[in-house]
Amino acid sequence: AGQTEPLAGDQFTTVTPAGTPGPVDVSLLYTDGDRKILPDAFSYGPTILEATPNSSTAEGGGTGVLYGYGFGPTGSNTIPTDLQVTIGGKQAQITSYNPNAYGVESPPFLLESVSYTIPGGVSGGSGDIILTTQAGSATLSAGMSYLQATQQFSLSGAMLAQGIYDATRNL
C-alpha cells in the first residue's frame, strides 16, 4: 500500500512501496467504498513476457520484438536513452519503442514493445536476451536460438521464374 494524495478531478499521486521486480496490480479504494483494480498497471523495473521471433539464422539481421512491462515511459514513443538490449552478449540496435503494444485507445494492460535488429550468433547455439533500463534488467534465458546461416547457391544466368526443385514433394 502506498500513501495516496488526491489532486484535481480523477487524478491522484502516490508513493509506491518497496517491491520485488516485475509487474503488480494497482488497486484504488475510493472514499465512497468503490474499488478499481488495474491489472499489471505498475512495474518494478523491466519484465520480458515474450520475444518474437525466438530464432534467427546465424548471420542475424532480422527484426526482433520484445513484449513486456517497465521498458520506458508510457507517455512517449521516443526510444528511452537508458534502454539497452543484448543477445548472447552482443548489443542489439533498438529501432523503436512502443508504450502501447496493443495499438488501441484503451488497452487492457500497459503492454510495451521494443523492436531491434537481431545480432549474429553461433549456428546451433543460443543466447540470453537481456533488456536493461535505469530501473534494472530482465533476462530471458536462452531467448534466442541460432540456426544454420543462410546458404545461397548461384546459377549463372538463372532466374527465380525458372523454378526451384522441392525434393520432398518431387516438384
Side-chain angles (χ1 to χ4, degrees):
Q3 182 177 350
T4 304
E5 297 178 22
L7 294 174
D10 291 335
Q11 297 182 5
F12 65 92
T13 183
T14 188
V15 176
T16 56
T20 58
V24 294
D25 297 342
V26 173
S27 179
L28 304 170
L29 182 59
Y30 294 91
T31 55
D32 65 0
D34 193 15
R35 172 173 274 193
K36 181 180 268 189
I37 298 174
L38 306 167
D40 293 345
F42 183 79
S43 183
Y44 288 96
T47 299
I48 300 172
L49 297 178
E50 182 180 6
T52 181
N54 61 0
S55 63
S56 171
T57 54
E59 67 269 14
T63 298
V65 182
L66 294 177
Y67 295 95
Y69 304 113
F71 297 171
T74 58
S76 170
N77 286 340
T78 304
I79 298 170
T81 56
D82 64 330
L83 182 62
Q84 295 182 358
V85 174
T86 59
I87 301 176
K90 294 182 181 177
Q91 191 77 29
Q93 179 184 352
I94 296 174
T95 56
S96 70
Y97 163 72
N98 186 349
N100 177 1
Y102 287 107
V104 295
E105 190 171 319
S106 182
F109 300 98
L110 296 174
L111 184 68
E112 301 169 56
S113 68
V114 173
S115 297
Y116 55 91
T117 302
I118 300 170
V122 177
S123 178
S126 64
D128 293 347
I129 299 176
I130 301 173
L131 183 137
T132 305
T133 70
Q134 70 180 23
S137 66
T139 301
L140 189 58
S141 297
M144 182 64 65
S145 297
Y146 286 99
L147 310 171
Q148 183 177 7
T150 304
Q151 294 180 347
Q152 298 203 7
F153 301 94
S154 60
L155 272 174
S156 61
M159 296 187 321
L160 182 59
Q162 290 176 309
I164 299 174
Y165 178 67
D166 180 349
T168 304
R169 295 179 193 90
N170 199 25
L171 298 172

